[in-house]
Amino acid sequence: MSEDCIFCQIIAGEIPSNTVAETDEAYAFLDVNPLARGHTLVVPKDHHERVGDMPADTAGELFELVNEITPAVEQAVDAPASTVAFNNGEDAGQEVPHVHCHIVPRFAEDGGKPIHSLFTGADLSDDEMAEIADAVRDEQ
Ligand code: 5GP
Ligand code: ZN
């Protein structure tokens, strides 16, 4: 546990939350400032800041819980769809430095947009695309 982390305090029961699910390694609760009815956060119980920081079993259990409760969240608020996303790192808008997955129920004509609308796009040549793929493979 990280003492000054708000999500660690929620998981420890020191700060109340509307809990929706819990497993050995993951925890899900309603976002206190919802973007839509049913906006849910899914977090690993151990403190890890970003995607890529978690051991594989923790990451697997986190996604298992996302996979399990996304339909339940949608059904609970009668939503036909949802946006499931991570703000990963401060420059991407992550405010709480404890990795968390947002499940935001979506409705027809809710005024929301796809995640593509966050970006202006990158114009890359075939060579640049191949170089990037090489670089990512080299980094693993
Ligand atoms: P981020 O911007 O880091 O991806 O999202 C952090 C989310 O945590 C925000 O949507 C915010 O509303 C939520 N949040 C921040 N503090 C609390 C809290 O004390 N309780 C709950 N349930 N959600 C919180
Ligand atoms: Zn934490």
Side-chain angles (χ1 to χ4, degrees), residues 59-125:
E61 199 161 322
L62 177 69
F63 195 74
E64 261 179 47
L65 190 55
V66 171
N67 188 53
E68 191 177 316
I69 67 166
T70 297
V73 169
E74 291 176 1
Q75 283 156 25
V77 297
D78 255 334
S82 53
T83 295
V84 179
F86 293 82
N87 291 322
N88 195 40
E90 204 174 338
D91 291 324
Q94 182 179 0
E95 290 184 355
V96 178
H98 181 132
V99 64
H100 51 281
C101 180
H102 292 264
I103 303 170
V104 186
R106 297 295 304 271
F107 303 87
E109 294 167 22
D110 62 7
K113 295 189 171 61
I115 58 171
H116 291 70
S117 66
L118 296 171
F119 306 95
T120 52
D123 191 16
L124 299 169
S125 68

Side-chain angles (χ1 to χ4, degrees), residues 5-70:
C5 171
I6 201 149
F7 289 173
C8 283
Q9 291 169 41
I10 285 174
I11 294 157
E14 293 168 7
I15 292 176
S17 71
N18 291 292
T19 307
V20 303
E22 180 172 6
T23 68
D24 284 348
E25 298 217 30
Y27 195 83
F29 54 100
L30 297 184
D31 194 298
V32 78
N33 219 335
L35 297 172
R37 278 172 63 78
H39 181 178
T40 297
L41 301 173
V42 188
V43 302
K45 284 186 172 172
D46 289 342
H47 183 86
H48 300 286
E49 189 166 332
R50 292 172 62 149
V51 172
D53 292 342
M54 293 173 282
D57 59 337
T58 303
E61 199 161 322
L62 177 69
F63 195 74
E64 261 179 47
L65 190 55
V66 171
N67 188 53
E68 191 177 316
I69 67 166
T70 297

